Amino acid sequence: GTVSKVEIKSSGSSSYDTTCLKSEGASFWKCDGGYPLSVPLSVKLTNEDGISLTCDGCITSADSVGPFDFGSNFYAGTFAPTSQTPAPVPVPTATPTVDLSCDGATNARFVTHE
């Protein structure tokens, strides 16, 4: 599914204090709150169905650009045949990745690749 929310947890934090929303086009996110960020960062991606993927401590440097692999993908539901017709086979989609760029102490930009 389509990513609808990105949350960031800074090193040493117990909660995702930074929330990112789409504001500058289809794949660009503007992040607010929880600054300054300190690495390693944990990221939570939530899709439009409310399913979340997390990568704990996967962003280890603000100086390098990803991608950072979440190791899995969004998938909700199972396929169950309702007749003798074979069940449809789900088409695999790319694992979501996130690219990170920073322009100082207060702005972080993430680019999602779905």
Side-chain angles (χ1 to χ4, degrees):
T2 302
V3 175
S4 61
K5 184 178 184 181
V6 176
E7 297 171 273
I8 304 168
K9 179 169 48 173
S10 195
S11 176
S13 178
S14 61
S15 62
Y16 291 90
D17 295 328
T18 303
T19 301
C20 306
L21 303 171
K22 286 187 178 185
S23 65
E24 297 179 27
S27 293
F28 292 93
W29 300 76
K30 183 175 180 183
C31 304
D32 294 307
Y35 291 107
L37 295 172
S38 60
V39 293
L41 300 174
S42 297
V43 179
K44 181 192 294 186
L45 303 177
T46 304
N47 73 5
E48 73 272 2
D49 295 325
I51 299 169
S52 296
L53 294 176
T54 59
C55 69
D56 292 321
C58 63
I59 299 177
T60 57
S61 172
D63 297 327
S64 63
V65 175
F68 303 95
D69 192 347
F70 280 67
S72 62
N73 200 356
F74 293 111
Y75 178 74
T78 58
F79 293 106
T82 57
S83 68
Q84 297 296 336
T85 306
V89 177
V91 176
T93 58
T95 300
T97 58
V98 177
D99 291 333
L100 169 68
S101 64
C102 297
D103 66 357
T106 60
N107 294 308
R109 175 175 286 197
F110 285 84
V111 180
T112 57
H113 304 278
E114 300 178 55

